[in-house]
Amino acid sequence: MGERKTGQPEVLAPAGGRESLLAAVRCGADAVYFGAADFNARRNAENFSDGDFLEAVEYCRVRGVKVYVTLNTLVTDRERDRLLKTLRLIAESGADAVIVQDLGVASEVKRFCPSLPLHASTQTAVHNVSGAKELIKAGFERIVLARECSASEIKKICAETGAETEIFVHGAHCMSVSGMCYMSSAFGGRSGNRGLCAQPCRLNFNADGREYALSLKDMSLIDRLEEITAAGVSSLKIEGRMKRPEYVAAAVTAVKKRLAGGEADEKTLRDVFSRSGFTDGYFTGHRNLSMFGSRTKDDVTAAAAVLPALRNLYKDERACVPVDMRLEMTQTDSKLSVSDGVNAVEISGDIPQKALKAELSPELASRSLLKLGGTPYCCERVGCSLAAGYTLPVSSLNKMRREATEKLTELRASTDGHPFLSPEKTDILYRAPADTAAVRLRFEKLSQVPGETFLRSVGCAKIILPLREILKSSGLPDGIMRIACAEIPPFVGAGDEAETVRDLEKCRALGVKYALCENIGAVYMAKTANMLPVGGHMLNILNSAAAREYASLGVREITLSAEMSFAAMREFSSPVPFGFITYGHMPLMRFRCCPMQGKNGCGDCRGVRTLTDRRGDKMTVLCSDRRFSTLFNPVPLYTGNMRMPKSDFVTLYFTTETEEKCRGITELFMSRENAPFPKTSWMYDKELK
């Protein structure tokens, strides 16, 4: 199997445990990604304890395989000490980079381990140029693009940012846009953003009679690698830290073979794991029902037949480190030098003997020295300088070879790691929240907005409307326009961001100063349009360091994650005003491939549909200009009767309610009365797992 060529993207493989690590490295991965015990987005994978973690990184370093450590979950303030302990371990290991979702975690990496490169997790939901540029500004060296990006969008991001980019080329799809799923958290308290996704989307949801309507097939772009390479992608990532080692072996082998110009064995890939086959729908832009599929009994049965052959792919050590060897033998001494181009060792051997029969020839010496089986080394060149008439026993040559390779392995394994700066006690910038929280009202449609008199009567400080709704109006009343905030769509494809910025500029010309940002790319677009960014709850701000990091990027106010408990909010500090959502049918998922479409696509859909879960509960799906759609929780969040923490503002989040209902719920909340309808407190009264 060919080695990586100059200009060719790296092959990046998952390693959920030790055997998967062996499978990845021995099948030719250029890099692997795995987590320590804490703070990684696959907490249910085998992962690596502290000692095993250091050994795993060392194993890869000896073999020239890069290690990217997944530090890619949201972190609470209470977990900061554990986070720093894990970060110190990663620094000590000398890992090549950390993959991060939480900008608070990123800020801690920059502060305590500044030489450790940052890679932005796919959970940061970068699907446009703006998002990539903002993360580069925040100190990231590589961006893992959202799975939902098309080929043209990937090419545009690569061309216009110059950033290192990484894309998934094989493995599972999330139904929701990366980083925007809260279903597992809402239904069972197991947050996907915290590495504990229970995959409720794989259950049997029904869309107008179509079963398993939230289950997508796995992606496979292995036949598209030439196009991906031409687009400028730096790294080809295989998903699967929860999957078996044989799957890792099959996927790495297929990608390496395709890059070398061969044909991948798609049947074996399908047999080892698939959900009714594969899809390339996001990449090609064919986001239709062909993308959906579920795991069947036949899929499970097919795996058993291919596992033995796949295990054979990684049962033996792979000779992947080229070395040069030189044997010098005089009449009085012998020595063997071995070099990998960076590290060099020299071993003294036995005293040569006068040859009674045949003298030691270069051919005979090479035959012994080239016996490198069981090691990660392959010899490219052997040089010999041998005294005529003398010889050495084969056992002496073998001993020198073993000692030299063992010593070279020790040198390759050694590292000073990354410097870790000792935590210092510093004054954290803190501002006390207001004594009384201001009330903000978020609406889906202009028709829901009550009149100015009502808004004044409840002391409404801001109304939030989708950008498209503000522009649809012929001009809101001045009193409303002064307190309006334009909500940037949470998903803006790379082909739509220029139009979005123009729309923001029109909005600014109407007198709207603030833009609500639910995504890192939206922050960049708001600033480009000379608007003041306000952080939405889908920025997933769960700790004080994240608040400070977003504030440093120009975000003026922040809405805390709905996965944050009230207890945590009481300990939270922020340099900018902050608040939380206190009412609303909360978004559970954002879809770029709508589950409500029919065989002919959107057809005559009016943009409001109903999905049914296995218990018969109805869930609303709202479409946004046929660019993305949103699934909402059927039971609304309501905290009016709870003891709420101090904050600068609270937001009532209206979606499908009528104007009359918006008024009634606002009045109910202002009176702090209990709700006369079914409600949920979401994660506010729980400790997040």
Side-chain angles (χ1 to χ4, degrees):
M1 186 176 295
E3 296 302 313
R4 182 180 174 193
K5 298 176 183 177
T6 302
Q8 199 174 71
E10 73 179 7
V11 177
L12 174 58
R18 175 155 181 80
E19 193 173 352
S20 291
L21 179 67
L22 294 178
V25 173
R26 290 179 177 179
C27 288
D30 303 304
V32 293
Y33 64 103
F34 56 81
D38 283 332
F39 307 114
N40 75 87
R42 291 293 182 268
R43 285 162 64 188
N44 288 330
E46 181 183 337
N47 294 312
F48 295 89
S49 63
D50 289 3
D52 290 342
F53 174 82
L54 293 173
E55 288 181 9
V57 179
E58 182 180 292
Y59 174 86
C60 293
R61 185 163 52 246
V62 167
R63 288 153 184 82
V65 174
K66 291 186 176 181
V67 172
Y68 308 139
V69 182
T70 52
L71 200 64
N72 57 342
T73 63
L74 301 182
V75 176
T76 67
D77 283 331
R78 293 179 180 180
E79 294 170 328
R80 184 172 184 266
D81 289 344
R82 273 177 50 217
L83 171 68
L84 293 183
K85 180 182 176 183
T86 300
L87 182 55
R88 185 187 289 272
L89 175 72
I90 295 169
E92 177 187 344
S93 77
D96 296 280
V98 283
I99 305 171
V100 172
Q101 171 191 6
D102 189 328
L103 290 199
V105 174
S107 73
E108 300 288 35
V109 173
K110 290 186 291 185
R111 180 180 176 190
F112 294 106
C113 197
S115 68
L116 183 59
L118 282 166
H119 292 183
S121 165
T122 189
Q123 291 292 102
T124 58
V126 171
H127 38 257
N128 53 41
V129 173
S130 297
K133 286 183 175 180
E134 194 68 11
L135 285 178
I136 293 168
K137 182 179 176 182
F140 287 86
E141 293 188 12
R142 178 183 290 187
I143 316 296
V144 186
L145 300 182
R147 291 173 176 88
E148 298 76 29
C149 290
S150 68
S152 61
E153 289 166 341
I154 292 168
K155 185 176 181 179
K156 184 178 177 67
I157 294 168
C158 291
E160 296 188 19
T161 66
E164 280 191 33
T165 55
E166 179 177 302
I167 70 165
F168 284 93
V169 296
H170 191 81
H173 270 131
C174 290
M175 182 65 212
S176 175
V177 173
S178 304
M180 299 185 187
C181 182
Y182 306 94
M183 181 180 275
S184 181
S185 178
F187 287 6
R190 295 168 60 84
S191 170
N193 283 318
R194 300 262 295 162
L196 288 174
C197 180
Q199 296 190 323
C201 55
R202 300 295 182 188
L203 299 174
N204 194 2
F205 290 85
N206 192 289
D208 295 335
R210 187 172 62 83
E211 295 191 319
Y212 296 98
L214 296 183
S215 182
L216 291 175
K217 294 176 181 176
D218 283 17
M219 73 156 67
S220 190
L221 304 180
I222 294 175
D223 285 340
R224 304 258 178 191
L225 297 189
E226 289 181 4
E227 189 177 350
I228 291 168
T229 300
V233 171
S234 306
S235 180
L236 310 175
K237 189 171 194 173
I238 298 164
E239 183 276 338
R241 277 191 292 143
M242 297 289 288
K243 293 195 175 83
R244 61 197 314 155
E246 294 90 345
Y247 164 90
V248 176
V252 172
T253 299
V255 174
K256 294 290 286 187
K257 190 172 183 179
R258 192 73 184 87
L259 285 174
E263 292 296 322
D265 185 350
E266 185 176 332
K267 183 181 184 304
T268 296
L269 282 172
R270 286 186 58 155
D271 287 349
V272 72
F273 192 92
S274 77
R275 291 182 171 90
S276 309
F278 300 124
T279 178
D280 59 4
Y282 281 133
F283 187 80
T284 61
H286 298 144
R287 299 183 289 272
N288 52 41
L289 293 186
S290 70
M291 288 188 66
F292 291 85
S294 58
R295 188 92 167 130
T296 66
K297 185 177 180 180
D298 288 343
D299 293 330
V300 175
T301 303
V306 298
L307 296 181
L310 289 173
R311 290 188 196 109
N312 285 333
L313 293 175
Y314 61 92
K315 66 184 179 71
D316 296 322
E317 179 70 77
R318 176 174 175 263
C320 54
V321 181
V323 295
D324 291 342
M325 303 177 113
R326 180 166 181 78
L327 176 67
E328 294 185 14
M329 184 184 73
T330 67
Q331 296 176 0
T332 57
D333 64 18
S334 62
K335 60 185 178 182
L336 175 65
S337 302
V338 179
S339 171
D340 62 9
V342 176
N343 304 287
V345 299
E346 185 176 279
I347 299 295
S348 294
D350 295 333
I351 297 172
Q353 305 165 4
K354 260 206 175 272
L356 298 177
K357 295 182 180 179
E359 64 183 13
L360 182 63
S361 67
E363 292 75 20
L364 181 60
S366 296
R367 198 178 307 156
S368 290
L369 296 178
L370 290 173
K371 292 179 180 179
L372 291 167
T375 78
Y377 304 110
C378 58
C379 187
E380 291 196 325
R381 285 177 292 274
V382 179
C384 294
S385 176
L386 307 175
Y390 283 80
T391 190
L392 278 172
V394 170
S395 59
S396 295
L397 294 172
N398 291 341
K399 181 183 177 185
M400 278 196 289
R401 184 198 68 237
R402 285 194 301 271
E403 289 181 1
T405 53
E406 287 170 2
K407 191 171 181 180
L408 182 60
T409 296
E410 290 176 9
L411 284 177
R412 290 178 62 84
S414 65
T415 179
D416 293 330
H418 298 276
F420 187 85
L421 309 180
S422 297
E424 299 175 2
K425 288 193 174 181
T426 56
D427 293 330
I428 295 176
L429 180 61
Y430 174 78
R431 50 172 300 284
D435 291 332
T436 303
V439 174
R440 298 180 176 183
L441 305 178
R442 185 270 180 193
F443 303 98
E444 186 73 23
K445 299 286 186 182
L446 278 166
S447 58
Q448 297 170 296
V449 181
E452 288 185 71
T453 302
F454 177 82
L455 295 175
R456 282 195 297 268
S457 72
V458 296
C460 179
K462 268 194 179 74
I463 68 162
I464 301 163
L465 279 164
L467 175 59
R468 67 182 188 277
E469 287 296 303
I470 293 179
L471 294 179
K472 278 180 186 177
S473 70
S474 55
L476 292 166
D478 288 344
I480 294 180
M481 193 65 78
R482 280 196 297 271
I483 60 172
C485 177
E487 180 183 278
I488 300 174
F491 186 94
V492 179
D496 295 325
E497 57 190 314
E499 179 187 356
T500 302
V501 171
R502 288 195 297 270
D503 286 346
L504 285 167
E505 290 169 342
K506 292 175 188 175
C507 218
R508 185 71 185 88
L510 291 172
V512 178
K513 295 190 299 182
Y514 293 95
L516 186 79
C517 306
E518 300 280 19
N519 174 269
I520 188 70
V523 174
Y524 187 91
M525 286 186 277
K527 292 186 294 187
T528 301
N530 198 30
M531 297 187 78
L532 303 177
V534 175
H537 76 280
M538 283 196 299
L539 290 184
N540 296 325
I541 296 173
L542 205 64
N543 57 68
S544 302
R548 293 192 294 274
E549 188 72 4
Y550 274 107
S552 74
L553 293 174
V555 175
R556 300 302 184 92
E557 303 164 349
I558 57 173
T559 306
L560 300 179
S561 167
E563 294 186 314
M564 191 175 190
S565 70
F566 278 173
M569 289 184 196
R570 292 187 178 98
E571 300 173 6
F572 180 79
S573 66
S574 170
V576 295
F578 68 90
F580 57 93
I581 295 176
T582 192
Y583 166 82
H585 290 272
M586 298 295 288
L588 294 176
M589 289 183 170
R590 306 283 188 185
F591 307 125
R592 198 179 194 191
C593 182
C594 184
M596 306 311 301
Q597 63 184 296
K599 291 181 180 178
N600 298 317
C602 296
D604 59 355
C605 176
R606 295 177 179 272
V608 183
R609 301 290 295 277
T610 300
L611 188 74
T612 307
D613 71 11
R614 57 183 180 153
R615 298 175 301 185
D617 291 336
K618 307 294 184 182
M619 309 168 74
T620 298
V621 178
L622 290 183
C623 177
S624 297
D625 296 333
R626 299 193 174 184
R627 294 182 179 181
F628 68 91
S629 53
T630 305
L631 176 70
F632 292 93
N633 201 30
V635 180
L637 165 71
Y638 181 78
T639 68
N641 60 318
M642 297 175 66
R643 189 174 74 87
M644 293 180 284
K646 277 190 172 185
S647 65
D648 296 286
F649 59 87
V650 293
T651 301
L652 281 71
Y653 191 100
F654 296 113
T655 49
T656 58
E657 297 87 348
T658 63
E659 178 188 345
E660 182 181 0
K661 195 167 184 180
C662 292
R663 288 172 179 264
I665 291 171
T666 303
E667 290 172 340
L668 182 75
F669 174 78
M670 297 302 294
S671 67
R672 297 297 188 267
E673 293 181 15
N674 196 7
F677 47 76
K679 63 184 185 300
T680 177
S681 58
W682 202 263
M683 300 300 295
Y684 288 161
D685 61 349
K686 303 175 182 68
E687 281 300 318
L688 191 61
K689 293 179 183 177

